[in-house]
């Protein structure tokens, strides 16, 4: 890890170095001190680059060594020129100093070329072509105003002329490299910006020097500060911590307006020069140079345009491909499915079957294990479904929904295939657990099928077929985990009915159409009522009594179950407190309230329960919350909420025990106090039958865990007697009382208290 001093190394260099450049400008012109200061700043800058490479250890050290060598060689040229100027008082041109100056350009170009080469993942032809256009245009300008005038000067020796024109040629190459650097993929770090600024200052100083020496007599001036600042910034680029990333590939920059403007202006150089030479010149137009430059610019522009078109075509193809595929699984998506359906449904005699597969409990996997595991599970499911025979078009059409499109005309069974023929292999594929990141995940699915009824394909379209499959899978979900449903028109009628119920639910809550009924839970030893279960009822002004089986699933689906469940909880707790005040010891000892999976998913549910207990004054241990096994099977938010509620002192009951997913595992993971044995096991209790063995076998487990057991659905005295023999103490069912309104329950409790006093006067 870098120390604070190392992180600020670039600043510790930059500030005093810039101050030194300012001090240089204050020294007397043409003085030895000024010349020495110039050379010292250059030498120290080159040395600082070398030290930085050794200290910072960049990922691409070679490019820094090349640039350090280029700067060092240039400074050696400065030193040699100073010796000629200040010691021998001559300024020959060309001189050995020019050998060093010109040698520094290839070294610097090599370093910059390595930056360009390592910054791109693949060959960046667009950036190279843009740089070529800039080099050609500016090279033409340089030829016209700098190079040709020197070459045409016959009075000057050829060697002198060749050395003189080498500088603008080198500058054009540096400028082209800079243009390529700015157009290739690059992470715009501070080190990168320092480097670019240093190159720009070098070019400005070189061009200004060339113009000054061509048109005027050059003498050391403020232009020297440009070279010095270039030295300083080069060293600052090497000392900034981000220099380690210089040369790493990044995202290619967008074609900005500045880039477009630069290319446009460059393209106008050739015609601009021709016009300028024809209007203001002496009548001599450099047609050959203009022609060569124009042809090169046209060829480069044509290549650039061709590359741009191909790039756009590739991107368009990729976007079209992405638009038809799912990002997670790589399968076709809903759009691709609609396109395929459109094609099939327009062909006479084609009646495709559409199967929608909805993964039950997938949200619980996401909540418990995280999004990454959820995505991996989707990929695993997609891979396994992809092996389905007969083959069809498999797509992912939603978060946890897949669709399988089958064209019966392509299948051996043709139209004779039925729902079970298609569904059975799918169930078999999903039967085995999926191994995902070390987790064995069991997946069940609700399956909806559309396209089997002979009348269905008539006037069919993709949207309608998808809608029917969605309706079918929704109906399958309502039948419980792993349900299967084929579309038939009655499902639409049921969906319409559910939509009407959903709309009426809101009005029912607002106008107090709901009420709470209570069903006794008794002690089998003496049939004494010890607790009640709160059950919501809906008295609609037009429809009459609406059964909970009709409106509870709808409330679950549209989210109103949260508000409705909270209202039931408030009413039940308040009623329990009123019974305490009116009936004293005859009041129920506990009251049970059903809680849905949707309520447990609410982050603030535990706080809601605590607030209700506080408002009503009911002791927490007298409240029991009943949840189904499926509500907490996946763990996650639901299980965490249940623990938070249990920590309040509220008891937890597993309702309909034995009909859910993994009952014994839930006994270990959930904060369970009560098991409510489902009525399906209590229906016919005969010694030796399977249900009796299960019911009797649960008692040792229940007692060993210190739990209470409530047998549900007891309707006959024989059932109660058998349960007592098995060791059950608590039961609930029509034998002991149907659900009743609060007033009726009050009278029942009063009657029970009077009966007890008659039987046992001492109890009074």
């Amino acid at each position: 890890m870098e120390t604070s001093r190392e992180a600020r190394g670039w600043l510790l260099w930059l500030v005093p170095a810039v101050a030194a450049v300012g001090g240089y400008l204050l020294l007397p012109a043409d003085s030895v001190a000024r010349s020495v200061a110039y050379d010292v700043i250059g030498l120290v800058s080159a040395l600082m680059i070398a030290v930085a490479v050794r200290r910072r250890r960049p990922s691409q050290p070679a490019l820094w060594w090349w640039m350090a060598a280029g700067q060092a060689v240039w400074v050696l040229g400065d030193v040699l020129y100073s010796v000629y100027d200040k010691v021998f008082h001559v300024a020959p041109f060309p001189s050995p100093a020019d050998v060093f100056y010109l040698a520094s350009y290839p070294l610097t170009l090599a370093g910059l070329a390595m930056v360009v080469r390592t910054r791109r993942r693949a060959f960046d032809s667009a950036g190279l072509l843009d740089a070529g256009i800039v080099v050609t245009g500016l090279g033409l300008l340089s030829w016209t105003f700098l190079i040709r005038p020197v070459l045409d000067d016959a009075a000057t020796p050829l060697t002198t002329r060749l050395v003189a024109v080498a500088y603008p040629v080198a500058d054009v190459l540096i400028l082209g490299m800079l243009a390529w650097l700015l157009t290739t993929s690059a992470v715009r770090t501070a080190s990168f910006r320092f480097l670019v600024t240093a190159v720009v200052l070098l070019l400005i100083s070189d061009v200004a020097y060339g113009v000054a020496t061509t048109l005027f007599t050059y003498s050391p001036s403020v232009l020297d500060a440009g070279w010095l600042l270039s030295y300083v910034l080069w060293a600052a680029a090497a000392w900034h911590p981000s220099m380690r990333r210089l040369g790493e590939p990044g995202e290619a920059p967008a074609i900005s307006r500045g880039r477009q403007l630069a290319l446009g202006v460059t393209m106008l150089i050739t015609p601009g020069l021709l016009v300028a030479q024809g209007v203001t010149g002496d009548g001599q137009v450099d047609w050959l140079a203009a022609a060569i430059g124009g042809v090169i610019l046209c060829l480069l522009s044509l290549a650039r345009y061709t590359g741009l078109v191909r790039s756009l075509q590739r991107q368009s193809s990729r976007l079209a491909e992405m638009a038809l595929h799912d990002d997670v699984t790589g399968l076709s998506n809903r759009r691709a499915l609609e396109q395929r359906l459109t094609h099939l449904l327009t062909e006479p005699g084609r009646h495709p079957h559409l199967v929608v597969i909805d993964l039950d409990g997938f949200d619980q996997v996401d909540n418990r294990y995280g999004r990454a595991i959820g995505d991996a599970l989707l990929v695993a499911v997609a891979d396994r479904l992809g092996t389905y025979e007969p083959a069809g078009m498999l797509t992912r059409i939603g978060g946890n929904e897949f669709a399988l499109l089958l064209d019966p005309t392509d299948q051996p069974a043709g139209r004779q295939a039925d729902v079970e023929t298609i569904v059975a292999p799918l169930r078999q594929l999903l039967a085995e657990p999926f191994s995902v990141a070390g987790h064995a995940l069991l997946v069940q699915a609700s399956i909806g099928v559309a396209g089997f009824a002979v009348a269905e394909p008539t006037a069919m379209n993709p949207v309608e077929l998808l809608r029917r499959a969605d309706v079918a899978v929704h109906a399958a979900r309502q039948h419980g985990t792993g349900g299967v449903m084929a579309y038939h028109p009655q499902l639409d009628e049921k969906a319409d009915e559910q939509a009407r119920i959903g709309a009426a639910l809101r009005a029912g809550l607002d106008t107090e159409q709901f009420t709470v009924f209570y069903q006794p839970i008794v002690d089998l030893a003496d049939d004494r009522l010890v607790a009640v279960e709160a059950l919501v009822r809906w008295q609609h002004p037009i429809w009459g009594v609406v059964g909970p089986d009709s409106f509870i699933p709808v409330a679950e689906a549209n989210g109103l179950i949260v508000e409705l469940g909270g209202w039931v909880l408030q009413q039940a707790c308040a009623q329990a407190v009123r019974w305490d005040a009116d009936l004293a010891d005859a009041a129920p000892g506990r009251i049970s309230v059903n809680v849905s999976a949707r309520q447990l998913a609410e982050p603030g549910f535990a706080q809601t329960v605590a607030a209700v207990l506080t408002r009503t004054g009911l002791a927490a241990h007298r409240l029991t919350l009943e949840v189904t096994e499926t509500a907490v099977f996946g763990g996650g938010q639901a299980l965490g909420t249940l623990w938070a509620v249990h920590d309040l002192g509220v008891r937890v009951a597993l309702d309909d025990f034995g009909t859910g997913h993994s009952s014994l595992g839930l006994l270990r993971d959930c904060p369970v106090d009560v098991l409510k044995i489902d009525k399906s096991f209590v229906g016919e209790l005969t010694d030796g039958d399977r249900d009796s063995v299960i019911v009797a076998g649960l008692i040792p487990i229940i007692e060993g865990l210190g739990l209470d057991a409530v047998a549900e659905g007891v309707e006959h005295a024989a059932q109660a007697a058998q349960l007592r023999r098995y060791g059950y103490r608590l039961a609930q069912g029509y034998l002991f009382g149907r659900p009743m309104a609060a007033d009726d329950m009050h009278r029942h409790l009063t009657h029970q208290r009077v009966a007890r006093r008659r039987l046992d006067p001492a109890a009074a």
Side-chain angles (χ1 to χ4, degrees):
M1 183 178 294
E2 286 186 324
T3 65
S4 176
R5 184 179 181 86
E6 289 174 332
R8 299 196 314 269
W10 66 276
L11 193 59
L12 297 175
W13 156 254
L14 187 60
V15 173
V18 171
V21 173
Y24 162 82
L25 294 175
L26 297 176
L27 293 173
D30 296 328
S31 65
V32 174
R34 187 168 185 172
S35 180
V36 171
Y38 186 96
D39 295 339
V40 168
I41 293 174
L43 287 171
V44 172
S45 297
L47 180 62
M48 289 296 289
I49 296 176
V51 173
V53 176
R54 297 295 298 273
R55 295 285 298 275
R56 298 292 189 185
R57 299 186 182 277
S59 59
Q60 301 288 340
L63 64 89
W64 289 105
W65 286 119
W66 280 108
M67 289 188 288
Q71 185 162 328
V73 170
W74 184 278
V75 174
L76 290 176
D78 287 336
V79 173
L80 189 57
Y81 184 85
S82 297
V83 171
Y84 275 104
D85 184 32
K86 303 305 178 186
V87 177
F88 300 109
H89 303 290
V90 294
F93 182 82
S95 72
D98 292 294
V99 175
F100 287 95
Y101 287 142
L102 293 176
S104 72
Y105 283 103
L107 299 174
T108 302
L109 283 169
L112 294 176
M114 293 190 68
V115 176
V116 174
R117 177 179 61 81
T118 56
R119 279 190 177 277
R120 50 186 168 82
R121 298 178 186 273
F123 183 70
D124 187 3
S125 58
L128 180 59
L129 289 171
D130 287 350
I133 292 172
V134 172
V135 168
T136 302
L138 296 180
L140 185 57
L141 281 178
S142 181
W143 166 265
T144 302
F145 295 107
L146 297 177
I147 299 175
R148 184 178 176 183
V150 173
L151 293 177
D152 288 346
D153 185 6
T156 303
L158 178 61
T159 303
T160 302
R161 283 181 285 167
L162 292 177
V163 172
V165 300
Y167 285 101
V169 170
D171 286 335
V172 169
L173 294 177
I174 290 286
L175 182 61
M177 188 62 70
L178 177 64
W180 195 9
L181 182 65
L182 291 174
T183 55
T184 54
S185 58
V187 180
R188 281 352 190 218
T189 61
S191 178
F192 176 79
R193 294 188 182 95
F194 280 140
L195 182 63
V196 168
T197 306
V199 175
V200 170
L201 286 173
L202 172 64
L203 288 171
I204 292 174
S205 301
D206 281 359
V207 172
Y209 176 81
V211 172
T213 54
T214 301
L215 303 179
F216 316 103
T217 300
Y218 173 79
S219 60
S221 66
V222 73
L223 290 179
D224 293 340
W227 281 306
L228 289 178
L229 288 175
S230 176
Y231 297 155
V232 169
L233 290 177
W234 227 298
W239 272 97
H240 196 277
S242 62
M243 63 88 71
R244 297 189 180 96
R245 301 179 59 195
L246 191 68
E248 294 180 359
E251 296 297 328
I255 302 179
S256 63
R257 291 183 179 179
R259 184 173 175 180
Q260 297 176 42
L261 179 62
L263 293 175
V265 170
T266 303
M267 293 297 298
L268 294 174
I269 288 177
T270 299
L273 277 176
L274 290 174
V275 172
Q277 289 178 338
V279 173
T280 63
D282 56 2
Q284 294 184 353
V285 178
D286 195 345
W287 294 105
L288 181 60
I292 293 174
V295 169
I296 294 175
L297 285 173
C298 286
L299 292 175
L300 290 175
S301 299
L302 179 61
R304 182 71 172 92
Y305 174 77
T306 303
L308 179 61
V309 170
R310 290 177 178 173
S311 176
L312 290 175
Q313 289 175 337
R314 287 193 299 269
Q315 292 181 17
S316 178
S317 299
R318 285 197 299 267
L319 289 174
E321 185 75 9
M322 291 171 59
L324 297 176
H325 286 81
D326 172 54
D327 291 339
V328 176
T329 62
L331 296 175
S332 301
N333 60 15
R334 194 181 190 99
R335 184 190 299 271
L337 176 61
E338 291 176 352
Q339 290 184 2
R340 179 59 179 163
L341 278 173
T342 300
H343 174 72
L344 288 178
L345 292 173
T346 55
E347 296 185 6
R350 288 289 184 97
H351 306 301
H353 298 162
L354 184 61
V355 184
V356 172
I357 305 159
D358 182 272
L359 304 183
D360 296 324
F362 177 77
D363 290 343
Q364 296 171 344
V365 174
D366 252 2
N367 293 336
R368 183 171 185 177
Y369 299 108
R371 180 68 177 273
I373 299 297
D375 287 349
L377 176 60
L378 289 173
V379 173
V381 171
D383 290 342
R384 194 177 294 182
L385 290 177
T387 64
Y388 174 81
E389 294 290 344
M393 179 181 182
L394 180 65
T395 64
R396 183 188 175 205
I397 60 174
N400 59 328
E401 283 191 339
F402 295 85
L404 183 64
L405 176 62
L406 300 174
D407 185 2
T409 59
D410 294 336
Q411 311 301 334
R415 290 286 294 177
Q416 302 303 314
D418 57 15
V419 173
E420 187 58 34
T421 302
I422 289 179
V423 169
L426 292 173
R427 283 177 160 173
Q428 186 175 358
L429 286 174
L430 297 176
E432 293 295 324
F434 291 85
S435 180
V436 179
H439 302 284
L441 303 177
L442 183 62
V443 171
Q444 290 183 297
S446 298
I447 301 176
V449 185
F452 278 87
V454 175
E456 280 190 49
T458 305
M460 186 66 69
N461 60 68
V463 175
E464 176 61 16
L465 188 59
L466 276 165
R467 186 196 69 80
R468 294 183 178 186
D470 285 338
V471 169
V473 79
H474 180 74
R477 283 197 298 266
Q478 291 186 324
H479 279 71
T481 300
V484 177
M485 183 64 66
Y487 172 82
H488 53 82
Q490 290 77 11
L491 291 181
D492 280 335
E493 297 175 7
K494 185 175 182 180
D496 291 341
E497 178 186 0
Q498 290 176 341
R500 290 193 300 271
I501 291 175
L505 274 172
R506 177 72 270 166
L509 281 168
D510 294 338
T511 57
E512 300 181 354
Q513 297 174 11
F514 292 93
T515 186
V516 180
F517 277 40
Y518 303 89
Q519 185 174 24
I521 299 174
V522 303
D523 189 326
L524 286 172
D526 55 8
D527 292 345
R528 179 173 54 89
L529 186 150
V530 295
V532 294
E533 179 182 356
L535 301 166
V536 65
R537 295 293 183 263
W538 186 7
Q539 182 66 48
H540 193 275
I542 298 176
W543 303 336
V545 177
V546 182
D549 290 344
S550 298
F551 70 83
I552 291 296
V554 178
E556 283 269 12
N558 64 18
L560 283 177
I561 192 66
V562 175
E563 182 178 346
L564 179 59
W567 178 83
V568 172
L569 179 63
Q570 171 70 33
Q571 296 297 313
C573 292
Q575 184 60 61
V577 173
R578 284 194 293 270
W579 282 331
D580 286 345
D582 295 342
L583 301 172
D585 60 341
R590 292 190 176 91
I591 188 163
S592 295
V593 179
N594 290 282
V595 175
S596 71
R598 191 72 174 263
Q599 288 175 274
L600 292 177
E602 292 291 312
F605 180 72
Q607 290 82 351
T608 299
V609 174
V612 169
L613 294 173
T614 300
R615 282 196 304 269
T616 61
L618 183 68
H621 71 276
R622 296 186 56 201
L623 174 64
T624 301
L625 296 184
E626 297 190 11
V627 299
T628 61
E629 296 169 288
T630 54
V632 292
F633 170 69
Q637 175 70 40
L639 187 58
T641 298
L642 212 57
W643 274 106
V645 170
H646 194 263
D647 290 341
L648 296 174
V650 176
R651 288 160 57 89
V652 175
L654 276 184
D655 198 11
D656 303 330
F657 183 76
T659 61
H661 291 275
S662 178
S663 302
L664 294 180
L666 289 176
L667 297 183
R668 179 190 60 200
D669 299 332
C670 287
V672 181
D673 301 290
V674 182
L675 293 184
K676 301 193 73 174
I677 309 304
D678 187 70
K679 62 183 179 181
S680 61
F681 295 99
V682 181
E684 295 292 338
L685 292 177
T686 304
D687 288 336
D689 72 340
R690 288 179 177 271
D691 287 346
S692 295
V693 171
I694 293 172
V695 172
L698 285 174
I699 283 296
I701 297 175
I702 293 169
E703 292 179 346
L705 294 174
L707 308 179
D708 291 332
V710 178
E712 296 183 289
V714 179
E715 298 182 0
H716 308 293
Q719 294 171 324
Q722 190 77 322
L723 288 168
R724 279 194 296 269
R725 285 194 293 271
Y726 289 155
Y728 283 84
R729 189 171 62 86
L730 302 175
Q732 178 180 357
Y734 287 173
L735 176 64
F736 312 108
R738 292 175 178 271
M740 61 191 79
D743 291 342
D744 294 334
M745 178 58 72
H746 189 284
R747 286 190 288 271
H748 179 79
L749 293 170
T750 302
H751 176 74
Q752 186 181 66
R753 180 173 63 176
V754 172
R756 287 177 57 198
R757 287 178 176 176
R758 287 176 180 173
L759 292 174
D760 185 8

